[in-house]
Each structure stands twice: as structure tokens, then as C-alpha cells.
Amino acid sequence: PANNNPSLFDQALALQEQNRHQEAADIYKQCLKHNINDAAVWSNLGTALRKTGHFEASAAATWRSLELRPGQAPYLTNYGNTLTDMDRKEEAIKAHTAAVYAEPESFLYRKNFACTLREFGEYELALRQLNIALEMNPEDVNLQFDRAVVYLHLANFEKGWKEFEVRHKLPEWKGRLSNAPYW
């Protein structure tokens, strides 16, 4: 990072990885006191604020990162994620499109783009991005599940219901609550 206090930045990153987003946001704000023009800090602050439900502040922080470093894919995708949460369809899709254009080989940016397209009901476009992302990482169970849901929305029931079985592999899947035979 370009900030003048990398240990603070690293501490905030560690807190973010532990899903302690409010604490991370507080430390990112301290980092900005050392260097107000650090785009990475602004972007990460935006992500932490988004995770705590402060969407307007998140959009402002991620936008600031893009003002400082225009066209940077990580900042674009963070901004796009916040805009998606704010239900700002055109702007979110534009940000994610730019992120994928900037780094077309990035699995994360494709995945974020696909999820935004799905969120806004752009199922045909979402399916294209999901397929590209799954070519990059075919073992991603969450993405496989997202594709199954998109197939169902597109009324491709044969593929959709078949792929929907991947739900059993999802980490949050609780399993069956019944001893009855599985149909």
C-alpha cells in the first residue's frame, strides 16, 4: 500500500478478513489521517462500510478511490458492489463492465459482474458471465448454485433443477431435517 503506516493498514486488513468490518473501518480512517490520498485505503474503507450497511458512505469512499486511481479494476468492482446494494442498476453494471474490461482474466471481477447481472434480472447476460467465471474456477460451488438459479429464471428447468443439487455442497446447507427417504 502507498500509505505511510503499513502496519495500521495490515491491521485493518486482518480485521476485515475476520469480518470485523466496523473496527477495520475505524482503522482505515486512521490511515487516511496519515495519507488522505491513498486510493487503496479509500477502497477498503468503502468495502468495510458496505459490509456494515453504510452504503452512501461506502459509495463515497469507493468513488474517492476511483478519483485518485481512475480505471483500477479492484476499485471499480468495489464501487459496483456498493451500487448493486444501493439498487443503482445502470451505474453498477457500468462499473463492473469496466472492471472486467480492465482485467478480463480476473475470476473475482467476473463473479461480481455475474452476480450483479443476476441481481438485476439480466439473466442471459449473467449466464454468459457465470459460464466464463466457471471456466476459470469450475469448483466454485456458490457460482455453480448461482448458475442453477439463473437457469431456473430462464425456464431452462432441465439444467436448472439438475444443477440445483449443488446446494447440498454449500457451506450454509444444513441438510435434511427429516429421516424420510430422499425423493
Side-chain angles (χ1 to χ4, degrees), residues 23-43:
E23 294 168 83
D26 294 340
I27 294 174
Y28 286 130
K29 290 174 188 176
Q30 289 178 38
C31 290
L32 290 172
K33 290 178 184 176
H34 298 283
N35 182 357
I36 193 74
N37 292 319
D38 189 325
V41 173
W42 280 109
S43 184

Side-chain angles (χ1 to χ4, degrees), residues 20-176:
R20 295 167 59 186
H21 300 290
Q22 186 57 57
E23 294 168 83
D26 294 340
I27 294 174
Y28 286 130
K29 290 174 188 176
Q30 289 178 38
C31 290
L32 290 172
K33 290 178 184 176
H34 298 283
N35 182 357
I36 193 74
N37 292 319
D38 189 325
V41 173
W42 280 109
S43 184
N44 286 15
L45 173 60
T47 299
L49 291 167
R50 175 178 164 254
K51 296 287 187 173
T52 59
H54 296 96
F55 301 118
E56 291 292 336
S58 172
T62 53
W63 180 253
R64 180 65 183 140
S65 71
L66 286 165
E67 287 178 326
L68 293 166
R69 302 276 316 273
Q72 296 298 302
Y75 308 154
L76 286 162
T77 201
N78 286 346
Y79 187 54
N81 288 340
T82 297
L83 295 171
T84 299
D85 288 344
M86 296 173 72
D87 202 31
R88 290 167 53 182
K89 177 181 178 178
E90 290 79 17
E91 294 166 281
I93 290 173
K94 183 178 177 183
H96 283 298
T97 300
V100 166
Y101 183 78
E103 291 188 32
E105 300 304 313
S106 169
F107 170 74
L108 176 64
Y109 306 151
R110 291 272 177 192
K111 181 177 182 174
N112 287 346
F113 187 28
C115 291
T116 288
L117 291 167
R118 184 207 66 229
E119 181 76 20
F120 289 121
E122 298 289 339
Y123 300 119
E124 292 285 347
L125 295 172
L127 183 59
R128 282 189 221 131
Q129 294 302 319
L130 286 165
N131 286 334
I132 293 169
L134 282 165
E135 284 178 21
M136 295 174 175
N137 187 358
E139 302 305 314
D140 188 298
V141 176
N142 289 308
L143 214 52
Q144 292 171 19
F145 181 76
D146 286 339
R147 184 170 66 181
V149 170
V150 167
Y151 277 136
L152 293 172
H153 278 288
L154 291 170
N156 186 337
F157 299 119
E158 184 176 341
K159 285 185 178 179
W161 288 123
K162 181 179 178 187
E163 290 197 21
F164 197 69
E165 291 303 305
V166 77
R167 72 186 183 278
H168 299 287
K169 296 179 183 177
L170 293 171
E172 62 272 11
W173 178 256
K174 302 291 187 227
R176 301 186 63 219

